[in-house]
Amino acid sequence: MIKRSGFSAVLAVCVFTSQVTIAADFRIGVQEDADVLDPHRARTTVGRMVFTSLCDKLVDVTDKLEIAPQLASSWSWSADNKRLTFKLRTDVQFHDGTKFDATAVKANLSRALTLPDSQRKGELGSIDRVEVTDPSTVVLSLKQPDATLLAQLSDRAGMMLSPATFNSEDVGRKPICSGPYRFVERVQNDRIVLEKFADYRDAKDYQYDRVIFRPIPDSTVRLANLRAGDLELVERLNPSDAEAVKVDKSLKFLVLSGLGFQNIVINVGSGPRADGPLGKDKLVRQAFQAAIGRDVINEVIGHGHYNPAQHPFPPASPYFDKQYQVTTRDVAKAKALLAQAKQPEVAFELSFGNTTITASLAEMIQAMAGEAGFKISLRPMEFSAMLAEMQKGNFQASLSGWSGRIDPDGNIHQFVTCKGTQNDSKYCNPDVDRLLNEARLTPDVEARKSLYNQALGILQSELPIIYTYYSPLIYAVSNRIVDFKPYPDGMIRLRGVHPTK
């Protein structure tokens, strides 16, 4: 178990002091810090939140999860679904004053496809070439039809940076985009500050002069800051605080089903740390899964808000399939599987982002698995640092998560295909690759569902990833603000949000 020092207890009752702020600051308490502020290389949920105010995309997502215009005013497909033509807005400029046009789109997509450490390569892998027809028209020619592409372009793959910055070392430290807010400063693990971009085409719809993201891993401290007036909004509210927020007349409690999930990523093929029984034997992984009570996690940590998950498609998705029922905790079965694997006791390290909720989750998993014969040591880390270690293969198992995408491909393909850009476990099965690649070719829901179910059948046996629960979107919001609306994709949109008059 983790031993917490008295310092944590002191933090729990303290409120961060801050400089005097103007009334037009919108301050958001986030669970962890963002990673690199480059949409082509970034991985974190908080990074996506920052980018939502900073970087416009070719297309956006509505609160009904429909694709909507943003930098592109319209789009059309060819009859064979292998050419996607975008007509672009002509009233957009980047924060450095340079003009957004079709050439900028081509430069961004080319960078996302060729940058050595790009996380977007798999998302855009169907693109064969990008053609500029005129300054306001760009055509994407595809290697094969891709039913996922528009959805991918509604997120980081479709975000546009100023091409004038591409040769600068500052591109991920001082990003220049074309969104309603421009980058001002970042102090690691303390704040990311954006200010309103006066030349934004819809500037009148954004009422706050600055947006400030404050990483506060301790959920008690986040909420204390909100109550003290030092924040306007807290994301990923601890479910244990939900009832207290509901009865607090100075706050609003908002909860919405999201698209994402929390999971345990197991290193099955990335370097020497994959060589233990957990990484090498699927029977050991099956035993580990059998030892975990997802219903217990939901009851004790989630207070009924953490819907147990068996696979990456949430119940609201048309791709959710009831044939994969949530595994019920069975210690006797776990012990029998370990005996079958000739591994009655298995030791491994579980790393996790050191926040209030994930620390509690790690401790609960450690205790439950311990009853079956697993000896788990816990490794708390700063979240971005943990992701970097996972990419290097320097882990055995990690608590991680995904904020979810509107197309099911975004919840599975890049994590389990052999060359998936976020396949940290380095799992590789040609049959899974074939099924998931085929699912990209057709827009037919039933055909895709059949392919996903076949892939899930393999993955449920081999378990490179064990899913724990579907992530709800839980916010506490100050009554000083009006018209904040949560979106199922988890992004914080500030259009139309304004202070109480």
Side-chain angles (χ1 to χ4, degrees):
M1 303 288 284
I2 295 175
K3 294 182 179 179
R4 291 195 175 94
S5 67
F7 180 65
S8 295
V10 172
L11 277 180
V13 296
C14 290
V15 175
F16 284 106
T17 59
S18 61
Q19 296 177 348
V20 175
T21 56
I22 59 175
D25 283 356
F26 194 97
R27 298 157 298 182
I28 303 170
V30 293
Q31 182 168 279
E32 65 263 332
D33 202 6
D35 57 346
V36 61
L37 293 180
D38 178 346
H40 298 154
R41 296 186 289 149
R43 293 184 57 170
T44 59
T45 296
V46 173
R48 288 178 73 222
M49 293 178 187
V50 174
F51 292 139
T52 300
S53 291
L54 181 67
C55 302
D56 276 355
K57 305 161 290 188
L58 285 174
V59 291
D60 199 8
V61 176
T62 70
D63 60 338
K64 305 298 184 185
L65 298 180
E66 299 164 336
I67 303 294
Q70 195 170 73
L71 292 174
S73 56
S74 65
W75 55 89
S76 59
W77 287 95
S78 62
D80 63 359
N81 291 320
K82 291 179 66 175
R83 284 172 62 87
L84 176 58
T85 301
F86 285 105
K87 294 299 292 184
L88 307 176
R89 297 184 66 115
T90 58
D91 57 350
V92 178
Q93 63 175 303
F94 291 105
H95 299 151
D96 60 0
T98 59
K99 186 174 178 56
F100 166 78
D101 57 15
T103 300
V105 174
K106 180 176 181 177
N108 273 270
L109 294 177
S110 297
R111 181 177 185 265
L113 282 165
T114 59
L115 197 67
D117 57 345
S118 170
Q119 299 294 324
R120 312 281 83 86
K121 290 179 182 178
E123 298 168 8
L124 299 173
S126 63
I127 297 177
D128 183 38
R129 64 184 183 277
V130 182
E131 304 168 77
V132 175
T133 303
D134 59 54
S136 62
T137 309
V138 64
V139 180
L140 312 187
S141 295
L142 310 185
K143 302 169 188 174
Q144 65 276 325
D146 185 353
T148 77
L149 185 57
L150 266 180
Q152 302 288 17
L153 293 171
S154 74
D155 210 279
R156 286 175 294 206
M159 292 179 183
M160 298 287 116
L161 290 159
S162 168
T165 67
F166 286 176
N167 294 324
S168 169
E169 294 181 359
D170 286 340
V171 67
R173 293 188 294 115
K174 299 178 181 179
I176 296 176
C177 292
S178 64
Y181 292 88
R182 69 176 190 87
F183 179 82
V184 175
E185 68 167 344
R186 178 179 190 175
V187 179
Q188 202 79 27
N189 294 314
D190 181 75
R191 63 187 181 273
I192 296 172
V193 181
L194 313 179
E195 71 177 13
K196 187 173 177 178
F197 180 44
D199 293 328
Y200 189 67
R201 59 190 178 278
D202 296 325
K204 67 181 187 312
D205 295 330
Y206 294 85
Q207 302 300 311
Y208 290 88
D209 293 334
R210 298 198 305 173
V211 182
I212 303 171
F213 296 86
R214 295 284 309 279
I216 307 174
D218 189 303
S219 61
T220 302
V221 176
R222 278 207 306 281
L223 183 54
N225 273 256
L226 180 67
R227 283 180 163 146
D230 285 349
L231 297 172
E232 276 61 56
L233 179 147
V234 164
E235 60 93 21
R236 279 178 282 182
L237 179 75
N238 192 326
S240 64
D241 292 322
E243 293 307 314
V245 171
K246 288 178 184 178
V247 299
D248 189 330
K249 293 182 179 179
S250 70
L251 303 177
K252 288 173 280 194
F253 174 79
L254 300 174
V255 62
L256 188 69
S257 296
L259 303 173
F261 51 79
Q262 294 297 306
N263 58 11
I264 305 168
V265 179
I266 298 170
N267 185 349
V268 300
S270 183
R273 301 214 70 191
D275 289 340
L278 185 71
K280 291 302 181 184
D281 194 335
K282 70 178 184 180
L283 291 176
V284 174
R285 297 192 291 276
Q286 291 171 6
F288 181 39
Q289 173 172 250
I292 298 170
R294 295 166 170 88
D295 54 341
V296 180
I297 292 170
N298 181 34
E299 180 181 353
V300 176
I301 300 178
H303 292 258
H305 291 289
Y306 288 175
N307 195 2
Q310 189 70 25
H311 56 69
F313 306 139
S317 169
Y319 298 90
F320 179 83
D321 197 302
K322 292 181 179 179
Q323 71 172 292
Y324 298 109
Q325 293 292 314
V326 174
T327 301
T328 302
R329 185 173 189 244
D330 189 334
V331 174
K333 179 180 178 181
K335 289 181 176 179
L337 286 165
L338 287 179
Q340 185 180 346
K342 297 181 172 56
Q343 298 284 347
E345 185 173 290
V346 173
F348 67 91
E349 180 183 79
L350 178 65
S351 56
F352 62 94
N354 193 19
T355 67
T356 305
I357 296 172
T358 49
S360 297
L361 179 60
E363 291 174 354
M364 179 169 284
I365 289 171
Q366 181 191 51
M368 288 191 290
E371 294 180 19
F374 289 93
K375 304 298 181 184
I376 302 177
S377 59
L378 301 182
R379 184 187 181 191
M381 303 180 70
E382 193 275 324
F383 186 69
S384 294
M386 185 191 77
L387 290 181
E389 292 295 276
M390 290 172 69
Q391 283 187 290
K392 297 173 186 174
N394 187 23
F395 77 107
Q396 290 180 292
S398 287
L399 292 183
S400 188
W402 183 243
S403 50
R405 298 296 183 269
I406 62 172
D407 188 278
D409 179 87
N411 274 19
I412 188 170
H413 191 284
Q414 61 194 318
F415 301 107
V416 295
T417 51
C418 296
K419 295 183 180 180
T421 53
Q422 299 196 49
N423 181 1
D424 295 319
S425 68
K426 293 298 183 284
Y427 171 78
C428 186
N429 183 316
D431 289 333
V432 171
D433 275 32
R434 175 181 56 79
L435 291 163
L436 296 184
N437 287 335
E438 285 184 22
R440 286 181 158 185
L441 299 178
T442 175
D444 183 85
V445 171
E446 291 305 315
R448 296 182 78 193
K449 187 174 182 179
S450 174
L451 293 164
Y452 286 130
N453 285 346
Q454 292 175 64
L456 288 177
I458 299 170
L459 294 167
Q460 289 295 310
S461 173
E462 299 189 341
L463 291 178
I465 297 174
I466 296 174
Y467 301 90
T468 52
Y469 61 87
Y470 297 111
S471 305
L473 304 170
I474 309 179
Y475 302 93
V477 185
S478 169
N479 274 338
R480 297 188 309 275
I481 71 168
V482 179
D483 290 341
F484 171 75
K485 182 178 184 178
Y487 280 65
D489 65 354
M491 297 304 95
I492 296 174
R493 293 170 171 84
L494 296 181
R495 181 189 291 270
V497 180
H498 58 90
T500 303
K501 295 180 181 179

